[in-house]
Amino acid sequence: MVELLQEVTRPELNRGLEGVVVDRSELSDIDGDAGRLIYRGYEIEDLATGASFEEVLHLLWHGELPDRDELEAFVEPMAQERQVDDGVLELVAELAHQDEDPMAALRTGVSMLSAYDPEPDAEPEDSAAMARDGRRITAKIPTVLAAFDRYRRGEKPIEPRTDLGHAENFLYMLTGEKPDEIAAETFDMALTLHADHGLNASTFTTLVIVSTYADVYNAITGGIGALAGHWHGGANQDVMYTLMDVDESGLDPIEWVEETLDEGGRVPGWGHRVYNVKDPRAKILEERSALLAESTGETKWHDYTTSIERYLTEEIGLPEKNIAPNVDFYSGSVYYQLGIPIDLYTPIFAMSRVGGWMAHILEYVEDNRLIRPRARYDGPTSQEFVPLEER
């Protein structure tokens, strides 16, 4: 009777928190059936094509799009925070010397930033201090990442410029050259597209950490750790490696896909936990990929991607099975066309998503509650203890 009662009253199990609503938010919403993404009510297409990344950060952090004066007041102090201390640069240089993985290097570098925080004694409940820390981290991540890449190439870091936008400045620090308008605009749009996406794994991780009133450095470091996994942030790298395999095989991309599928393989960048149709962010990046191809004269990456999408859509019918291109399917080739090393794609994801992480953190601590879920116990219930000498 006891065992039967336990079976009847056992709580429902939702592994991976599938479909579980754990909080409310005013930040972003996804309609997976319609292929729609909004930030605070604004369509992602309008924000990506009509607003800068800094405007989107203002929207996420402060609840509204800024006017010109508000934008200037928002951008200027963040630009002044781009410099990182010599101690952080020395650490980043050592990580590069040890050939550390870029995401691990970014995680360690962001953690190190806390040693130089100008407000080390801020109370954990001080949301205004949290916001200032978030601004500092957001401003410094591009500097840390660009410095790491240059150190590992045997080059010195390039000082950030305060007269360039967030996206443009990163490309400048990475290459030493100011990007052209198409490149800067495309990268800015890519940052906007990745800024927030509901309560995904990394965002939820930051909330779990900050709900304990650990500081923002701990929370963002945890978010980077969660994003590092290939089931979350690493898929865009996989897409580009796939396109390179296609190129090196000498096969037509359709032939390559056919062989891959026949051997039981898969094409990365397809399918999403939420979207049942083509990711709206993929549509935007597809257009930018075409524009970059036209601008540079190198069209094969765009051609490969569109050919594969057309085949998987029209011949295999994956969208009819609710499997469609996600944002990674096009972001990989877009970043490659911008001259960004493949293993920096996921750190760039973090460089953008930190804006969403901070927005969710600030929203959550307004009515903070320690996140403490439970697991359903499925183990034995009446074991007889045997003393050590009798086992």
Side-chain angles (χ1 to χ4, degrees):
M1 177 64 74
V2 173
E3 291 182 358
L4 178 60
L5 181 62
Q6 288 177 336
E7 185 69 30
V8 170
T9 59
R10 290 166 87 189
E12 180 183 356
L13 183 63
N14 295 93
R15 299 206 64 223
L17 299 182
E18 184 82 33
V20 175
V21 177
V22 299
D23 201 11
R24 57 187 180 273
S25 177
E26 298 180 357
L27 295 171
S28 65
D29 191 37
I30 307 161
D31 186 333
D33 293 325
R36 185 180 182 223
L37 170 64
I38 60 172
Y39 294 170
R40 291 194 183 273
Y42 291 95
E43 301 289 344
I44 192 62
E45 292 85 354
D46 293 334
L47 292 174
T49 58
S52 66
F53 180 62
E54 287 90 335
E55 289 176 76
V56 172
L57 286 181
H58 190 284
L59 171 67
L60 291 173
W61 294 356
H62 298 293
E64 60 183 12
L65 289 170
D67 60 26
R68 290 192 180 278
D69 291 340
E70 289 169 334
L71 181 61
E72 182 178 349
F74 178 77
V75 167
E76 196 277 332
M78 190 163 74
Q80 295 299 327
E81 300 276 13
R82 289 173 178 167
Q83 291 278 355
V84 299
D85 293 272
D86 289 342
V88 177
L89 290 177
E90 290 171 6
L91 171 71
V92 170
E94 177 62 18
L95 293 170
H97 178 71
Q98 295 298 329
D99 197 27
E100 178 64 289
D101 176 83
M103 274 299 273
L106 181 62
R107 179 201 65 217
T108 304
V110 168
S111 183
M112 181 67 168
L113 291 176
S114 69
Y116 300 91
D117 187 275
E119 301 179 84
D121 299 323
E123 293 295 327
E125 296 87 353
D126 186 346
S127 59
M130 280 186 177
R132 290 191 293 272
D133 278 344
R135 184 183 71 193
R136 294 183 189 108
I137 295 170
T138 302
K140 295 179 190 301
I141 281 179
T143 309
V144 170
L145 187 55
F148 171 79
D149 186 62
R150 292 188 67 82
Y151 276 132
R152 67 179 180 170
R153 289 187 275 129
E155 300 174 343
K156 292 183 179 180
I158 294 175
E159 293 280 323
R161 286 174 52 172
T162 59
D163 62 322
L164 301 179
H166 195 76
E168 188 177 20
N169 177 64
F170 173 73
L171 294 178
Y172 164 73
M173 290 190 296
L174 198 67
T175 65
E177 298 180 1
K178 184 178 176 182
D180 63 35
E181 184 178 350
I182 292 177
E185 186 179 71
T186 298
F187 191 56
D188 185 273
M189 291 171 67
L191 294 183
T192 289
L193 295 174
H194 288 86
D196 195 45
H197 208 243
L199 214 54
N200 51 77
S202 57
T203 300
F204 187 65
T205 299
T206 66
L207 296 187
V208 171
I209 294 171
V210 83
S211 77
T212 71
Y213 277 128
D215 67 25
V216 170
Y217 292 95
N218 280 301
I220 299 303
T221 301
I224 293 171
L227 191 65
H230 280 274
W231 277 23
H232 187 14
N236 50 14
Q237 296 181 193
D238 295 338
V239 170
M240 196 58 224
Y241 287 131
T242 293
L243 296 179
M244 294 179 76
D245 286 345
V246 172
D247 191 55
E248 293 170 4
S249 73
L251 297 174
D252 177 273
I254 305 307
E255 295 174 337
W256 187 93
V257 171
E258 289 175 337
E259 286 192 5
T260 298
L261 296 181
D262 288 343
E263 295 171 359
R266 57 181 291 274
V267 178
W270 281 70
H272 194 276
R273 186 74 168 260
V274 181
Y275 292 112
N276 296 319
V277 297
K278 186 171 181 176
D279 189 328
R281 301 169 299 174
K283 295 178 181 179
I284 296 169
L285 288 181
E286 179 182 1
E287 295 174 1
R288 298 307 299 188
S289 175
L291 191 60
L292 283 171
E294 181 182 348
S295 172
T296 63
E298 178 60 271
T299 64
K300 66 180 179 180
W301 307 113
H302 177 72
D303 292 342
Y304 290 164
T305 310
T306 53
S307 294
I308 292 171
E309 179 182 353
R310 187 163 52 249
Y311 175 73
L312 292 177
T313 298
E314 298 176 1
E315 300 298 327
I316 305 299
L318 287 186
E320 297 174 9
K321 304 173 185 177
N322 296 333
I323 302 174
N326 60 44
V327 66
D328 298 313
F329 190 63
Y330 278 97
S331 66
S333 60
V334 164
Y335 292 156
Y336 195 81
Q337 291 176 86
L338 290 172
I340 298 172
I342 296 175
D343 62 357
L344 292 190
Y345 293 1
T346 307
I348 284 170
F349 195 161
M351 190 172 90
S352 168
R353 185 56 59 84
V354 67
W357 291 337
M358 278 310 306
H360 281 274
I361 286 170
L362 295 173
E363 182 181 56
Y364 191 81
V365 298
E366 287 181 1
D367 185 22
N368 188 54
R369 183 170 177 80
L370 178 65
I371 296 175
R372 205 295 188 191
R374 297 179 62 188
R376 189 182 74 190
Y377 179 70
D378 284 344
T381 59
S382 56
Q383 296 271 50
E384 182 178 346
F385 178 76
V386 179
L388 177 62
E389 55 274 11
E390 298 178 20
R391 293 178 210 159

